[in-house]
């Protein structure tokens, strides 16, 4: 039996979506436990900062759980990451952690501190999407020790994956891991292409020394009052060239049901470079 705890560091998940995920694993050897905080509401957030912090720490520090799965993304994880890291105990170091989007703040800090094994991958709330069942199964398989849903370009070298906005906000903070020698994968959603261009300008200044960059999907781009004139790939290539970063092509990640799992480091462990 694999026991997986779920918490929501940013936005809440609805009970309907949580129940749909639970139904997928009824009668199996996987037990999913949603912390009650997942359903709390405080404005935009799934409860107060203190509530979200406490839930994450309870899930991570409980030795009876094998893994922590972030139930949903949405802004908020950065508000608790600084208080969370020094309060994680030995039980937290043995766990797998999975999420994406704004939960990348926690994934980055965990990876930087060598706490557990982390991955960018689908969250429970993705059950709502067309093909959501497969997305959920992808992450649960990885959290249980599998590799069926891992992004196909993940190889022997160290790798990480982030939402582009999240990575830009991490740059220059105490939570940013050393990504020297890593392949960095990025994806984005609901940003104008000029904003994507701006994000690449900033991020690439902080990624010199990486092994290369792969571009995930840039989804749901809003329509601007005039065409930007450059595609997502042209933007990525432009700023990679400016920064001397190898552009390696596409990655199968994004804010969608096709989002694949990207374990951080080498084969889901710490980089040794």
């Amino acid at each position: 039996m694999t026991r997986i705890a779920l918490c929501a560091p940013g936005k809440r998940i609805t009970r309907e979506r949580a129940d749909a995920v639970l139904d997928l694993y009824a009668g199996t050897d996987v037990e999913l436990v949603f912390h009650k905080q997942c359903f709390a509401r405080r404005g935009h957030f799934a409860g107060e900062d203190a509530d979200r912090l406490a839930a994450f720490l309870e899930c991570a520090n409980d030795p009876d759980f094998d893994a922590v799965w972030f139930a949903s993304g949405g802004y908020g994880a950065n508000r608790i990451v600084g208080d969370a890291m020094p309060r994680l105990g030995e039980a937290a170091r043995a766990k797998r952690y999975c999420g994406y989007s704004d939960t990348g703040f926690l994934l980055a800090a965990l990876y930087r501190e060598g706490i557990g094994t982390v991955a960018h991958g689908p969250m429970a709330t993705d059950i709502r999407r067309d093909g959501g069942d497969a997305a959920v199964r992808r992450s649960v398989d990885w959290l249980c020790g599998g590799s069926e849903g891992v992004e196909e370009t993940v190889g022997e070298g160290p790798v990480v994956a982030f939402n582009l906005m999240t990575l830009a906000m991490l740059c220059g903070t105490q939570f940013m891991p050393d990504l020297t020698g890593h392949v960095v994968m990025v994806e984005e959603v609901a940003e104008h292409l000029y904003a994507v261009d701006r994000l690449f300008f900033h991020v690439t200044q902080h990624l010199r020394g990486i092994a290369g960059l792969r571009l995930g999907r840039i989804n749901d781009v809003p329509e601007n009052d005039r065409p930007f004139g450059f595609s997502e790939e042209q933007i990525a290539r432009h700023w990679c060239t400016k920064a001397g970063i190898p552009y390696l092509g596409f990655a199968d990640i994004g804010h969608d049901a096709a989002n694949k799992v990207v374990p951080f480091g080498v084969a889901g462990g710490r980089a040794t470079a």
Side-chain angles (χ1 to χ4, degrees), residues 5 7 17 22 29 40 42 70 113 126 135 143 170 194 204 210 216 242 258 261 268:
C7 59
R17 291 175 186 170
L22 291 173
D29 61 354
R42 173 64 170 87
F70 298 124
E113 299 301 322
D126 287 316
L143 288 165
L170 277 164
Y194 68 79
T204 52
I210 67 170
K242 285 273 192 180
V261 177

Side-chain angles (χ1 to χ4, degrees), residues 2 101 127 186 267 269:
T2 300
S101 192
I127 193 74
V186 295

Side-chain angles (χ1 to χ4, degrees), residues 60 76-77 122 130 133 141 154 156 159 164 171 188 227 231 266:
D130 289 340
D133 288 13
D141 174 76
V154 172
E156 296 180 358
V159 62
L164 185 58
C171 290
E188 189 50 84
S231 70
V266 181

Side-chain angles (χ1 to χ4, degrees), residues 19 27 31 39 132 134 147 179 207 242-243 246 251-252 266 271 273:
D19 287 344
E31 181 182 6
F39 312 108
S147 60
L179 299 182
L207 295 182
K242 285 273 192 180
D252 195 4
V266 181

Side-chain angles (χ1 to χ4, degrees), residues 155-238:
E156 296 180 358
V159 62
V160 295
F162 290 102
N163 169 258
L164 185 58
M165 178 68 79
T166 300
L167 181 58
M169 296 300 101
L170 277 164
C171 290
T173 71
Q174 70 192 83
F175 309 111
M176 178 71 169
D178 180 4
L179 299 182
T180 302
H182 287 64
V183 171
V184 177
M185 302 181 181
V186 295
E187 48 82 16
E188 189 50 84
V189 64
E191 293 286 350
H192 288 88
L193 287 181
Y194 68 79
V196 172
D197 190 77
R198 182 190 298 134
L199 289 169
F200 267 106
F201 156 74
H202 176 69
V203 163
T204 52
Q205 302 304 304
H206 294 268
L207 295 182
R208 288 185 171 91
I210 67 170
L213 182 139
R214 286 191 177 275
L215 179 64
R217 287 176 289 282
I218 309 296
N219 291 334
D220 302 332
V221 176
E223 185 175 346
N224 196 24
D225 60 353
R226 71 203 70 184
F228 183 63
F230 298 92
S231 70
E232 301 95 315
E233 186 176 26
Q234 287 173 321
I235 292 169
R237 285 183 178 276
H238 173 82

